[in-house]
């Protein structure tokens, strides 16, 4: 059976933290689907197409990585893609608290999909898309937090 993982998120925008998690997960899975969730309740700074393009060009040399968008429940999307793993990154206790609830709920919705967590690398533990967006709004420099393919 192919090991297919879905890495769901907003990626608004993709950061070096996300990039690192995906790169470290490449050897673990046959395919990783980076799936941008379409969340009607969440106002994004960058539109879906832009976010998708940045992720695609970040991983353009990695044939096992796909970039998609999805609406609805992550577990339903996993089922539709025949994915048996959900990949998530952990930076802190607060990430853990949040992720723990979601992972347990997902597990009760679909028992054959396992959530796999990778701990952030220390140099990326402070990077979050939320803070990056805040710096952008206030006209600060964010290049150091973003993959090279992301040009603002
Ligand atoms: P969401 O809106 O679903 O939280 P994000 O795009 O913010 O989506 O994050 C997607 C995943 O990437 C989450 O599991 C998040 O914890 C993880 N992540 C975000 N930033 C980092 C980072 N700097 N290091 C490790 N993991 C991260």
């Amino acid at each position: 059976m192919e090991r297919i993982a879905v890495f769901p998120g907003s990626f608004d925008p993709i950061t070096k933290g996300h990039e690192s998690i995906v790169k470290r997960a490449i050897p673990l899975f046959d395919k990783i689907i980076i799936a941008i969730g379409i969340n009607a309740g969440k106002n994004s700074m960058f539109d879906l197409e832009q976010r998708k393009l940045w992720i695609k060009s970040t991983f353009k040399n990695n044939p096992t990585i796909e970039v998609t968008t999805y609406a609805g429940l992550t577990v339903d999307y996993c089922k539709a893609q025949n994915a048996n793993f959900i990949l998530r990154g952990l930076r802190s206790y607060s990430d853990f608290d949040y992720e723990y609830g979601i992972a347990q709920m997902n597990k009760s919705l679909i028992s054959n999909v396992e959530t796999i967590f990778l701990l952030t690398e220390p140099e990326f533990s402070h990077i979050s898309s939320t803070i990056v967006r805040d710096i952008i709004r206030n006209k600060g420099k964010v290049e150091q937090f973003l993959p090279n393919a992301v040009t603002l």
Side-chain angles (χ1 to χ4, degrees):
M1 194 171 66
E2 256 199 318
R3 285 161 305 156
I4 302 174
V6 167
F7 184 36
S10 317
F11 307 104
D12 186 30
I14 182 172
T15 67
K16 281 192 174 163
H18 298 124
E19 181 186 24
S20 158
I21 295 289
V22 171
K23 286 201 163 149
R24 288 162 56 214
I26 288 172
L28 306 177
F29 301 105
D30 298 306
K31 179 160 99 178
I32 299 173
I33 303 170
I34 304 176
I36 310 173
I38 302 171
N39 186 341
K42 224 173 175 180
N43 270 337
S44 58
M45 174 174 272
F46 299 104
D47 68 36
L48 266 181
E49 269 320 298
Q50 179 63 82
R51 283 181 269 160
K52 198 170 159 185
L53 278 175
W54 280 331
I55 303 172
K56 275 193 164 173
S57 74
T58 299
F59 297 107
K60 64 175 189 294
N61 297 322
N62 300 96
T64 60
I65 293 185
E66 266 179 31
V67 187
T68 63
T69 59
Y70 76 104
L73 290 178
T74 304
V75 290
D76 290 338
Y77 187 67
C78 289
K79 210 180 200 170
Q81 297 295 318
N82 274 323
N84 18 30
F85 301 97
I86 294 173
L87 174 65
R88 297 287 284 176
L90 288 178
R91 284 164 293 191
S92 59
Y93 287 113
S94 57
D95 269 0
F96 176 79
D97 259 1
Y98 174 72
E99 297 289 341
Y100 179 86
I102 294 180
Q104 295 287 37
M105 287 298 272
N106 283 340
K107 185 76 181 158
S108 48
L109 290 171
I110 189 166
S111 61
N112 61 338
V113 173
E114 295 289 350
T115 304
I116 304 290
F117 297 103
L118 289 186
L119 289 183
T120 184
E121 301 227 66
E123 68 262 45
F124 303 130
S125 64
H126 59 294
I127 302 179
S128 81
S129 297
T130 308
I131 299 175
V132 164
R133 290 195 302 277
D134 219 41
I135 299 172
I136 293 171
R137 271 189 216 102
N138 290 289
K139 315 254 181 291
K141 277 171 74 78
V142 288
E143 288 76 14
Q144 59 184 308
F145 309 121
L146 305 177
N148 293 338
V150 181
T151 48
L152 296 169

